[in-house]
Amino acid sequence: MTLNDYSRLMIPEIEKALKSTILKDIPDPFPGLKEMMNYHFGWLENGKSQKSQGKQIRPIILLLSNSICGGDWKKALPAAIAIELIHNFSLIHDDIEDQSDLRRGRETLWKIYGIPQAINTGDAMFSLAQINMLKLGYEINKQIGFDSLQKLNETCLHLTGGQNLDISFEKETRVSLDRYLLMIGGKTAALLSASAEIGAITALTSESNRKALRNYGNALGLAFQAWDDWLGIWGEEEQTGKSTSSDLITGKKSLPILFALDKGGDFSRIYLSNGVNQENFHELLFLLENNGAKEFTENIAKQFTDTALKSLEEIKVSDQNAFQSLLELTDLLITRKN
Ligand code: GRG
């Protein structure tokens, strides 16, 4: 079994479980809410495309981690979709907070339905995630449900903490690498870490396997966000599904930008005195590429990927195929184009 085989097995099951929780767990008299969720997940006819469902890497990481630790991944599906629901909830709220028009190559939920309705749909996803974690308690055992739910909610606090830093950095002129890592540790790495760790929790594995997967997910998340920052400036709009170079225009302190600001020189001088505008945009992009910011970001992503791979070496593996597939997925994530 390769990663491709696992994806072909798991993705339809993840999608089936997501559709089922939206259909059955949201009460019948609320079709408008279901419609908005269906739009966000790319299941409605308007704007449906291959990438409109997202890559679903978090639930796949959870299910592979579960198999690696000797679990039956189908039993962990409620946890996998709980994580995917929290991820999508955070995307919906993030798009509102950033006023982003595009997500996965389509108009964002708030652009179509308005901000109040989009906030409300995100809130419903949050509750569906809690309900699905609780199902683990009923369907596998109470301790697994309790530990997973605890982990999920602690993770949400990390997400909001990271988001708080990210938003506040927009008004700061200098952000150190340490504070940036703290921010992405909360905003991005916490949920990837929880995905891998909850895979271990649902397999009732050893504490050391649980810790190795938690550390793996954390390092992977740091690499993933560093690469996302790379894509935020040098990715192709057609592939990322988001506006090109938006991170440079919006004033986000993404990794390439904070590196260039720290280095001083022309980029820093122009950026800090004039900000970014239509006239200086191409010059700033040129300066960013020529002062080593691109290479620096690539190296950081590579270093954290290596740390993630090292953590995987600590695991006592029950399923070699699942383990090889997680290694494959880890390598793929920092060469991805979307
Ligand atoms: C969870 C209570 C709670 C609040 C959320 C809004 C917020 C607080 C946090 C923002 C988190 C955020 C949007 C981080 C960015 C993470 C990231 C790199 C997302 C892109 O993930 P992909 O590439 O997306 O896996 P797809 O589209 O493939 O699903």
Side-chain angles (χ1 to χ4, degrees), residues 1 82 145 170 184 285 289 333 335:
M1 288 266 283
E170 284 173 29
I184 67 169
L285 194 58
E289 281 193 40
L333 289 182
T335 48

Side-chain angles (χ1 to χ4, degrees), residues 48-113:
K48 193 177 163 101
S49 78
Q50 240 197 333
K51 62 167 184 279
S52 55
Q53 276 97 349
K55 298 180 288 299
Q56 313 208 341
I57 59 161
R58 292 160 192 80
I60 291 174
I61 287 173
L62 190 152
L63 298 176
L64 286 176
S65 301
N66 173 275
S67 291
I68 289 169
C69 296
D72 170 356
W73 65 264
K74 287 203 173 167
K75 288 194 177 154
L77 273 166
I81 66 160
I83 288 282
E84 188 63 7
L85 284 159
I86 290 292
H87 167 59
N88 281 279
F89 159 85
S90 77
L91 297 180
I92 291 171
H93 281 213
D94 190 57
D95 287 338
I96 295 167
E97 289 161 13
D98 287 352
Q99 298 171 29
S100 304
D101 298 347
L102 279 181
R103 161 83 49 199
R104 298 172 180 160
R106 301 178 314 143
E107 282 193 286
T108 44
L109 193 67
W110 73 268
K111 273 302 246 185
I112 303 273
Y113 295 91

Side-chain angles (χ1 to χ4, degrees), residues 37-53:
M37 290 212 187
N38 288 336
Y39 172 79
H40 174 80
F41 280 114
W43 300 326
L44 288 187
E45 277 318 305
N46 52 339
K48 193 177 163 101
S49 78
Q50 240 197 333
K51 62 167 184 279
S52 55
Q53 276 97 349

